Amino acid sequence: MIRARRVPVVVWLTVPVLWLSAAAPALAQHTRISVSSSGAEANGSSGSATVSATGRYVAFVSAATNLVAGDTNGVADVFVRDRDTDADGVFDEPDAVGTFRINVGAGGAQADAPATGAILAGRFVAFRSAATTLVPGTSAGVQRIFVADLVTGVVELASVSTAGTPADLDSDGFDIGATADGYVVAFQSASRVLAPGDVGSGGAVFSRTWPERVTRRLSPPLPAAATGEPQQFVGVPSVSPDGAFVGFAILQPIVVPPGAAPSRTGRVYRLRPDGTMLQDLGVGGRIELGVSPESVIVVAHSLLLESKWVRRTLAGHDAEPAVFFDFMRPVPSNDGRYWLCFTYGNAFLQDFLSGERTALPFGGFGDWSADGRTVVTTMPSPLPPGATQAITDVYAVDLPRLLDADQDGLDDRWERLSGLDPADATGPNGPGGDPDGDGLSNAQEFATTQPGSLMTLATGTITRYFAEGVTGPFFDTEIDLVNPSASTAAAVQIRYRTSGGATTVQPLRIPPRERRTVAPAGEPSLANVDMSMEIESNIPVVADRRVSWDASGYGAHFETAQASPSTTWYLTEGTTVLGFNLFYLLHNPQDAAVQATIRYLRPSGPPIARTYTLAPTSRLTIYVNAVDAQLASSDVSGEIVADRPIVVERAMYASRAGQTFALGTASAGVTAPAASWFLAEGATGAFFDLYVLIANPAPTDAAVTARFLKPDGSVVTRQHTVAANSRFSIFVDGIEGLESTPVSSEIVSANGVPVTVERAMYWPGGFFDYYEGHTATGVTSTALRWAVAAGESGGARAAQSYVLIANPGATAGQARITFLAEGGFGPAPLLVDLPAASRVTVHTSASIFGRFGVLVESTGPSPVPIVVEGAFYWNAGGQVWAAGGALVATPLP
């Protein structure tokens, strides 16, 4: 059954939580619906359950003969269960319920043919039947669409022409669409008499409107199939709740070998009921229409092809469709955020905001109420105890009670997203707890929760930061997160701070050893903004960010989140020469304004200083090219000193040959100079050019030693002097012995003057041929465990990911690489040998397809300290590795 929702389904985030009130009725988790008014068990199977907006009314089809008196026709009928006949707001009270048969003709005439496919919309129930006794003059042998008015009790034909001619060929009533009020019904029919000029090939989608009682053909005519070819046909109609759009699919049967299961493929369309504005939404076999064009969901077998919530939590605008296996008849909320998914004998609730999937203890196909409280579904008896016949019954399931395992009044999903234990109703996890110490109890926070304003996570929260983020027609931002824990799920909240000071919050839950992808542009308030991000979690998570641009995705840059704000930051790489555009990005996470002074360091000449004011909880973008004429064509490093802690990044772009920002890089700053730095990634040769950038913000010259580690364990060493208050570049390709090799770099200040270090790689070929590049800052310490979140492999752009592991010590070692896949199904770990004083490249895309993170752990009897980076590439516009990025992995305890 495909149908329109009646009002937005918002479940626990926006529905007033009346069921928390002491006066609210205590409903059972499961209530059997397919019973008589007196509660007698049905003596036949029931199905096709559909529920009203508030859950009060449930329509269903049943073969039972004992649900109402006088049921002697011996066929399946359509029934409506009123769960609140005294209208006091309490469902399923004894003597306040009723079951009624509604497919009854004038004078109580019983149907002489079975009914199928009921749909409840407003005051109407639509169903499919070949009955001739419900409407006078109906001929036998044709399945038609009927509509019963629950107020007047009148049954009418929907599959009838405006002039009153009934359909002369079958209508496909298993898929009926309706508006929220039921005054527009859409259906498929092969009849040729319902609209003028209908040739009948492959059928068509029609609408019938009340009270006008006008029938219109909505889908375009289909050409007749050639001899021996399967005929295309139209099916699965859907109507948006307000009637503004009708959706349908044009399906092409696929020829399969004898004995194989039938199959079909097709394209899905959306149009206005008057036939204007036909839109091709792409490959698909089903469609659901929500309250706005943004919330359309198209299903092609197991693929979700369009949904703003799917884009937000599972895929970027330029990514492959997200895949869900075993989806059968998903029922979405109006805005597409929630999907109630019924599979073979199982069901679950998918939240595309948080990414959480909640298993539900019932199966069969069903529906849920528009207020998000009630699910109706078919389940084999006995469930719950008390049923005595092994037949299929219809049950109503109370979601608030079902999703509150400890019955403490707090929704289990909200508790998990807030880092609470849903199985514990006491202490800090209970309704009276206040783990974040803000003076509000858990019950108070839950009762007042609105989208974008979840509770602060409990004491011990870990926060990481991104200063850069941008969305819009040109740019797209994606956040990749992995939970490296082997046993504990991570409760995560992402706070987006725009340049205008607005804040949006997104909750997320990441199972152990899994990856999640977040695309903030799916949220309307973040669809066209500059922003920074703060990521809070109850346990350590790894967060990487990807910014890509242009519809073709010809450019990208990556960075990992920073551990904390600081009052000092240093940016080593930067240039404004030969068309490069240089931007400094400053995020103020404070609730007060911040003053920040930047000293711009050049290869020669005194620094240039400027002071800026950062508004509270906001992001400031500085276009360095325009700061001063002396910075309009120069290499530049930056020293930033603020009066309160902030977060700083740098982005740099260059346009080439008609491509705006064909090349782009970004890196976060470092918070202090140091006497020793290490860079794991690096490659030279005909394709890559490698630069090591050194900034000296001190008033004294720095004497530095550069050691370059090759895969075979050999080391090339060079000495350099970096003048005081200046920036220095090493072109590694130009060093003898390093002309064409992977390489890691170690920079040490021999005279103890601290410096900052960054690496830049550009490709392909020489300086004037570059069309892309990436950068990464050095690290000052090694670790035994590192993680990268941003891996991707394959897809339309042939994405490739690499992990670069440097072992700077004198002892050989070994590393274990564990794949943290999206969905949790990764390949077996890899073991990699690490020669002493060497750099090892691991092509992770050779082991896994799709989106993934990696956990890199130094192993063996005596694990050696290592440094890890990630590098990522994909093709676009016919160019190999047109886009790419790199980042330093996140060290783990």
Side-chain angles (χ1 to χ4, degrees):
M1 177 192 67
I2 294 182
R3 66 187 189 86
R5 316 306 307 150
R6 280 167 293 281
V7 296
V9 178
V10 286
V11 193
W12 59 269
L13 273 182
T14 56
V15 172
V17 284
L18 301 179
W19 54 277
L20 288 177
S21 168
L27 303 180
Q29 288 188 10
H30 305 84
T31 301
R32 188 159 43 160
I33 296 298
S34 50
V35 295
S36 71
S37 296
S38 63
E41 286 186 288
N43 60 9
S45 294
S46 305
S48 295
T50 176
V51 63
S52 66
T54 63
R56 173 177 171 177
Y57 300 99
V58 180
F60 60 97
V61 175
S62 181
T65 62
N66 65 335
L67 298 183
V68 297
D71 187 349
T72 60
N73 60 353
V75 300
D77 289 310
V78 183
F79 298 88
V80 169
R81 176 77 167 177
D82 184 349
R83 306 175 64 197
D84 187 18
T85 57
D86 60 1
D88 66 351
V90 180
F91 291 172
D92 305 314
E93 292 178 292
D95 302 320
V97 291
T99 301
F100 310 93
R101 183 168 55 163
I102 57 96
N103 62 325
V104 178
Q110 298 187 75
D112 59 354
T116 57
I119 171 175
L120 174 59
R123 61 187 282 180
F124 301 99
V125 177
F127 59 92
R128 180 177 184 258
S129 180
T132 65
T133 55
L134 302 180
V135 175
T138 306
S139 59
V142 178
Q143 297 279 352
R144 299 184 177 92
I145 306 301
F146 294 84
V147 173
D149 188 329
L150 300 181
V151 176
T152 65
V154 174
V155 177
E156 296 185 48
L157 271 174
S159 51
V160 62
S161 72
T162 302
T165 305
D168 60 348
L169 292 172
D170 283 356
S171 302
D172 184 3
F174 290 104
D175 295 297
I176 307 172
T179 53
D181 55 18
Y183 285 101
V184 178
V185 173
F187 58 93
Q188 186 271 348
S189 178
S191 176
R192 304 181 184 184
V193 300
L194 297 181
D198 195 344
V199 298
S201 296
V205 169
F206 299 88
S207 68
R208 177 76 169 175
T209 60
W210 277 265
E212 301 86 356
R213 291 172 173 79
V214 172
T215 301
R216 295 184 177 90
R217 177 186 175 126
L218 302 178
S219 59
L222 297 177
T227 302
E229 294 294 326
Q231 173 65 51
Q232 294 184 77
F233 60 95
V234 173
V236 292
S238 177
V239 184
S240 62
D242 59 2
F245 291 94
V246 175
F248 59 89
I250 297 179
L251 301 161
Q252 174 72 43
I254 299 173
V255 177
V256 297
S263 184
R264 64 186 185 182
T265 186
R267 299 192 72 80
V268 173
Y269 298 84
R270 174 174 57 195
L271 48 65
R272 295 192 185 280
D274 61 4
T276 62
M277 205 181 79
L278 181 69
Q279 293 175 291
D280 182 346
L281 299 181
V283 175
R286 298 169 56 80
I287 181 171
E288 291 281 1
L289 294 178
V291 293
S292 71
E294 282 188 322
S295 59
V296 171
I297 299 174
V298 176
V299 185
H301 302 292
S302 298
L303 299 182
L304 288 82
L305 298 181
E306 181 180 347
S307 167
K308 70 174 183 179
W309 293 111
V310 173
R311 287 198 305 267
R312 179 170 180 175
T313 63
L314 298 170
H317 295 299
D318 57 354
E320 293 296 293
V323 178
F324 289 81
F325 297 102
D326 298 325
F327 264 18
M328 289 294 295
R329 293 191 179 276
V331 183
S333 60
N334 272 348
D335 63 1
R337 172 181 169 177
Y338 294 97
W339 275 40
L340 185 63
C341 303
F342 298 95
T343 67
Y344 294 103
N346 296 286
F348 60 87
L349 187 65
Q350 176 75 44
D351 182 350
F352 287 116
L353 171 60
S354 70
E356 183 174 23
R357 179 180 295 185
T358 304
L360 303 176
F362 46 81
F365 299 140
D367 188 21
W368 66 353
S369 62
D371 65 4
R373 295 177 57 95
T374 305
V375 171
V376 290
T377 182
T378 55
M379 294 181 286
S381 295
L383 179 67
T388 61
Q389 302 180 79
I391 59 175
T392 300
D393 277 318
V394 172
Y395 287 87
V397 182
D398 182 63
L399 279 179
R401 285 183 59 82
L402 182 70
L403 299 176
D404 184 8
D406 55 8
Q407 300 299 296
D408 64 355
L410 306 176
D411 188 291
D412 294 347
R413 295 163 295 168
W414 181 86
E415 290 188 87
R416 286 192 292 267
L417 290 173
S418 299
L420 304 179
D421 182 354
D424 182 1
T426 64
N429 293 298
D434 181 19
D436 57 352
D438 65 353
L440 295 176
S441 69
N442 292 334
Q444 289 173 314
E445 298 218 30
F446 176 52
T448 59
T449 291
Q450 296 295 321
S453 181
L454 286 189
M455 69 179 289
T456 303
L457 293 175
T459 302
T461 293
I462 300 164
T463 306
R464 298 186 68 85
Y465 300 85
F466 289 112
E468 166 68 317
V470 58
T471 62
F474 187 64
F475 284 105
D476 193 33
T477 295
E478 172 183 293
I479 303 172
D480 306 318
L481 302 119
V482 294
N483 174 10
S485 171
S487 59
T488 305
V492 179
Q493 293 178 21
I494 305 175
R495 298 183 183 273
Y496 301 93
R497 313 282 197 182
T498 69
S499 55
T503 299
T504 300
V505 181
Q506 176 182 0
L508 197 70
R509 184 172 182 269
I510 311 176
R513 293 285 169 95
E514 287 197 22
R515 140 96 179 245
R516 287 289 184 267
T517 305
V518 178
E523 168 59 40
S525 65
L526 301 173
N528 190 15
V529 296
D530 294 339
M531 60 188 170
S532 53
M533 290 84 79
E534 301 164 13
I535 299 171
E536 297 180 345
S537 59
N538 61 334
I539 63 173
V541 298
V542 175
D544 295 339
R545 183 207 62 236
R546 183 187 82 178
V547 175
S548 59
W549 48 93
D550 186 73
S552 70
Y554 63 68
H557 54 62
F558 291 72
E559 183 54 287
T560 193
Q562 301 306 297
S564 63
S566 174
T567 56
T568 58
W569 289 91
Y570 297 86
L571 298 166
T572 307
E573 165 67 315
T575 188
T576 60
V577 303
L578 297 175
F580 276 89
N581 297 272
L582 179 60
F583 299 87
Y584 283 4
L585 315 160
L586 282 61
H587 166 47
N588 175 17
Q590 312 295 332
D591 292 328
V594 170
Q595 298 291 315
T597 297
I598 302 178
R599 288 201 312 148
Y600 299 97
L601 310 179
R602 298 172 290 155
S604 61
I608 296 172
R610 294 289 187 273
T611 299
Y612 304 88
T613 299
L614 284 65
T617 61
S618 70
R619 173 8 230 281
L620 175 68
T621 301
I622 300 170
Y623 182 41
V624 177
N625 299 56
V627 168
D628 187 281
Q630 298 177 83
L631 298 176
S633 182
S634 175
D635 292 339
V636 182
S637 294
E639 177 190 59
I640 299 95
V641 178
D643 60 5
R644 292 170 182 252
I646 61 174
V647 182
V648 175
E649 292 190 46
R650 178 212 66 250
M652 193 167 69
Y653 306 91
S655 300
R656 293 283 188 269
Q659 284 186 326
T660 301
F661 290 178
L663 180 159
T665 70
S667 286
V670 297
T671 58
S676 177
W677 294 88
F678 202 89
L679 299 160
E681 164 67 317
T684 63
F687 189 70
F688 287 111
D689 279 353
L690 173 62
Y691 300 84
V692 172
L693 304 320
I694 307 171
N696 177 11
T700 306
D701 293 353
V704 300
T705 298
R707 298 176 69 244
F708 299 98
L709 283 60
K710 300 169 67 173
D712 61 5
S714 62
V715 177
V716 176
T717 302
R718 290 291 185 272
Q719 310 292 333
H720 300 281
T721 298
V722 182
N725 292 313
S726 74
R727 126 83 186 263
F728 183 78
S729 299
I730 302 173
F731 179 49
V732 181
D733 295 61
I735 299 175
E736 184 179 353
L738 300 175
E739 296 88 350
S740 182
T741 181
V743 62
S744 294
S745 307
E746 184 178 24
I747 306 298
V748 177
S749 176
N751 64 347
V753 175
V755 296
T756 64
V757 174
E758 193 169 345
R759 179 204 65 252
M761 287 172 56
Y762 298 97
W763 64 89
F767 187 87
F768 296 99
D769 301 319
Y770 300 150
Y771 58 63
E772 183 58 308
H774 57 57
T775 58
T777 56
V779 298
T780 58
S781 61
T782 57
L784 298 179
R785 302 174 73 239
W786 300 77
V788 174
E792 186 173 354
S793 176
R797 297 176 183 170
Q800 300 291 314
S801 296
Y802 297 82
V803 168
L804 305 318
I805 308 173
N807 173 14
T811 304
Q814 190 177 67
R816 179 175 60 242
I817 298 177
T818 303
F819 294 93
L820 313 178
E822 201 155 74
F825 300 100
L830 297 177
L831 291 177
V832 179
D833 291 328
L834 305 176
S838 72
R839 130 77 188 269
V840 174
T841 301
V842 181
H843 184 200
T844 52
S845 292
S847 300
I848 186 172
F849 182 86
R851 297 176 170 194
F852 60 92
V854 292
L855 173 64
V856 182
E857 300 172 286
S858 184
T859 62
S862 300
V864 298
I866 57 175
V867 178
V868 177
E869 292 191 37
F872 321 96
Y873 308 91
W874 64 76
N875 304 336
Q879 289 183 330
V880 175
W881 291 6
L887 51 80
V888 177
T890 299
L892 301 173

